[in-house]
Amino acid sequence: MNEIVCAGIHRQGAPVVVPNSLADNLLDRIASLPSSSLSNFIVNRANKFVSEKLLAVRPDIWRQVSFFSAPIKQDADVRLLVAIHSYGILPEEKRLQFVEALRRAAIDEGDDSFLEGAPIRLLIKDNEVEDILDEISTVILGSIDEYVDRVRSGWDTDYDPDDHFDILHRSLENIAEALADRVDKEELEETFNYSISQAVDEMRNEYYQSIDQTQDEHWPVISSGVSLQQSQADSLSALFRDVSD
């Protein structure tokens, strides 16, 4: 798997090229491997001929291009979808499912992946992008707090929150730019900047409280009304009394 490429595919460090005439022999050897390994093979080493055969004998690979997590542009399975599409063997139904995933991520989470350039742009048509922009323009102002709350829910109090909203902030900036002819861009930017800054302030308070609590848990416990220095002095006095005795 790490040493071969299929005919027509060029990859440095792959000493063996498998011709299409040996595709069936290749599938006999690799078809039982985990779907994640086979997906990676399709993306990096297979050609159209082998990919089509592999998808036929392992239809479970299609499940990897059925569900995507936001931000979709960072989902590794997008590369598989793009590879299958580039070979001209992606069913239109699967492409439309991906477009719907982009739409839902934009509306529900403020994900700007539908505005991404290549490779995602190869899978979504201009009119589909416009349809998503039309829809999100009617809901985005009322959804900003929901987007922020969703991202905030994934925050761990062990980490400083300052950079936690960077991805969402950039995404909303891109969407605001794309919606400039549909909504008040300045109002939209003010809304999400305020919502994010409010969340960061609240999270920062939680973060510093968490630090203070951790320090308190590791600080020596001294009896009420007795200073740390007095406690140390008493211990030293007791030690020298023992030596004197």
Side-chain angles (χ1 to χ4, degrees):
M1 289 286 282
N2 296 323
E3 296 178 350
I4 68 170
V5 290
C6 296
I9 303 300
H10 304 283
R11 188 175 179 86
Q12 188 174 2
V16 179
V17 179
V18 179
N20 288 344
S21 59
L22 293 178
D24 290 337
N25 302 69
L26 174 62
L27 293 182
D28 286 342
R29 299 189 181 199
I30 69 173
S32 62
L33 292 173
S35 61
S36 57
S37 298
L38 298 179
S39 298
N40 189 60
F41 185 75
I42 290 174
V43 170
N44 296 296
R45 297 174 181 273
N47 58 17
K48 175 182 177 179
F49 186 75
V50 171
S51 295
E52 198 164 16
K53 281 180 168 288
L54 189 52
L55 289 166
V57 298
R58 287 293 301 274
D60 57 305
I61 296 174
W62 286 111
R63 287 201 292 268
Q64 293 186 225
V65 292
S66 298
F67 304 97
F68 300 90
S69 57
I72 292 178
K73 58 189 172 186
Q74 295 182 5
D75 193 311
D77 290 332
V78 171
R79 296 179 63 221
L80 173 61
L81 196 70
V82 170
I84 296 173
H85 181 264
S86 70
Y87 294 141
I89 57 177
L90 180 68
E92 178 65 3
E93 176 189 1
K94 294 292 184 184
R95 190 193 70 82
L96 291 175
Q97 286 178 358
F98 180 66
V99 173
E100 173 61 14
L102 290 171
R103 186 191 73 82
R104 284 257 52 99
I107 302 302
D108 294 344
E109 304 184 44
D111 181 11
D112 69 337
S113 295
F114 73 102
L115 297 171
E116 190 76 357
I120 286 179
R121 200 65 181 84
L122 301 173
L123 294 163
I124 183 170
K125 300 176 181 178
D126 291 344
N127 65 296
E128 293 167 335
V129 171
E130 292 301 315
D131 288 344
I132 295 175
L133 286 173
D134 285 341
E135 184 174 359
I136 198 172
S137 68
T138 65
V139 302
I140 189 168
L141 275 171
S143 302
I144 297 298
D145 288 343
E146 294 178 15
Y147 301 156
V148 171
D149 289 342
R150 184 188 291 268
V151 173
R152 178 175 178 171
S153 66
W155 175 63
D156 188 327
T157 55
D158 290 339
Y159 300 94
D160 191 308
D162 284 349
D163 302 327
H164 187 69
F165 291 98
D166 283 359
I167 293 176
L168 176 63
H169 191 270
R170 287 193 296 270
S171 182
L172 292 176
E173 283 184 328
N174 290 336
I175 291 175
E177 186 66 33
L179 291 176
D181 61 341
R182 292 172 170 84
V183 301
D184 186 326
K185 180 184 174 184
E186 291 186 1
E187 180 185 3
L188 177 55
E189 290 177 338
E190 288 177 2
T191 300
F192 67 70
N193 282 330
Y194 176 78
S195 184
I196 289 175
S197 64
Q198 285 289 101
V200 170
D201 287 344
E202 294 172 4
M203 293 158 67
R204 190 180 290 117
N205 288 334
E206 294 179 33
Y207 173 67
Y208 287 121
Q209 288 175 5
S210 175
I211 291 178
D212 292 341
Q213 182 178 357
T214 301
Q215 290 176 339
D216 289 343
E217 290 173 354
H218 292 84
W219 197 258
V221 178
I222 306 300
S223 299
S224 177
V226 181
S227 68
L228 177 61
Q229 291 84 351
Q230 183 62 48
S231 176
Q232 292 173 333
D234 290 344
S235 297
L236 288 173
S237 296
L239 172 63
F240 285 113
R241 279 199 301 272
D242 291 342
V243 172
S244 176
D245 293 342

